[in-house]
Amino acid sequence: MAALAACNPQSDDNSTAPEPDNAALANAAAPVPGNLDAAVQAAFGGDATYDGKNDHYVLSHHKLVAAPFGPVLVSEGTAQDAAHASAGFISAIYLKQDGDGYTVAHRYPHAIETGSFGEVGEWKIRDDLLDLPVIEAKGGGTWQGYSCGYTDLVELTPQGPLTVARFQNAYSNKGAVTDDGTNITGTIAQVTPGQAFTVHFTGSRSFDATYKLINGKYALQGGDAHRLDGC
């Protein structure tokens, strides 16, 4: 299934991101403020790579986010020669202005871990959900003919990345059955800022699932009738 992204089958897991790893990635001063190249140089020097426990990652597709508390460099980490079970990741590096350049305030190499074969499916920065920027990342994979995709929503807070929602956004059993099977995908279709969002599902079955913001986390409304089958 195209653009699936979240190798962990547990959905609706609203947990916080890990503590910052301030020694994990190289840091060098950047000569020019206010641009993406300067931010990447400050965060990674000349080597935008990361060595995880089992995989070597290359970071790319950088985006510089102008958060209210300061700039944040968000990057995609892709594992090289990865196994099926290896996830990709999204890193968030909090920067601060230092004269004419940047220095690194905090590093969160694994703000989001999702996907399979070392790759994240797709991701973007949203400014329509909450007062602070939110990373939306999609990922997943296929296991024994069953494909599942998941969406993570991670808020960039001054204290670090915070997972505010995780939900399953895709399901297919077409690789495991001989008949037409089931194929359903969903995307965020309606947003009430600071309150809720609705996921519109289409395919073998069409329905909407609403997630309401309760105590800083999004919770599914309406129960299992609004949830996809898992892998």
Side-chain angles (χ1 to χ4, degrees):
M1 176 180 293
L4 292 179
C7 189
N8 184 349
Q10 295 179 352
S11 59
D12 303 327
D13 178 12
N14 296 339
S15 59
T16 57
E19 291 298 315
D21 182 353
N22 292 327
L25 303 170
N27 178 31
V32 182
N35 66 53
L36 181 59
D37 290 342
V40 172
Q41 176 66 23
F44 306 119
D47 184 20
T49 62
Y50 175 80
D51 286 320
K53 183 177 180 180
N54 298 310
D55 294 290
H56 177 72
Y57 291 85
V58 173
L59 290 105
S60 61
H61 300 101
H62 312 283
K63 295 182 181 181
L64 186 58
V65 180
F69 52 84
V72 180
L73 180 66
V74 181
S75 305
E76 177 180 339
T78 302
Q80 306 300 291
D81 301 318
H84 184 189
S86 295
F89 68 77
I90 303 295
S91 77
I93 299 183
Y94 286 38
L95 303 172
K96 59 182 178 181
Q97 205 77 47
D98 184 14
D100 290 335
Y102 293 117
T103 57
V104 173
H106 297 289
R107 303 177 185 274
Y108 301 90
H110 300 278
I112 300 174
E113 290 186 83
T114 189
S116 56
F117 290 108
E119 296 183 353
V120 175
E122 60 181 280
W123 64 279
K124 63 182 178 181
I125 306 297
R126 302 190 67 123
D127 61 5
D128 59 342
L129 289 167
L130 300 169
D131 291 338
L132 295 171
V134 173
I135 307 170
E136 177 185 353
K138 296 181 180 180
T142 301
W143 298 268
Q144 298 181 336
Y146 293 87
S147 299
C148 285
Y150 301 86
T151 295
D152 288 278
L153 298 177
V154 173
E155 181 183 19
L156 296 174
T157 77
Q159 295 75 34
L162 175 68
T163 299
V164 294
R166 176 176 170 79
F167 61 89
Q168 188 175 340
N169 69 280
Y171 172 80
S172 175
N173 65 359
K174 285 183 172 292
V177 299
T178 57
D179 57 15
D180 290 340
T182 299
N183 186 39
I184 303 173
T185 59
T187 58
I188 296 176
Q190 181 178 352
V191 174
T192 303
Q195 297 182 39
F197 64 84
T198 297
V199 182
H200 182 57
F201 290 92
T202 59
S204 302
R205 182 163 66 98
S206 295
F207 64 97
D208 289 338
T210 297
Y211 288 78
K212 185 177 180 180
L213 190 65
I214 301 173
N215 296 325
K217 308 281 187 177
Y218 286 99
L220 176 64
Q221 307 298 293
D224 289 343
H226 301 276
R227 199 190 307 270
L228 294 176
D229 293 332
C231 287

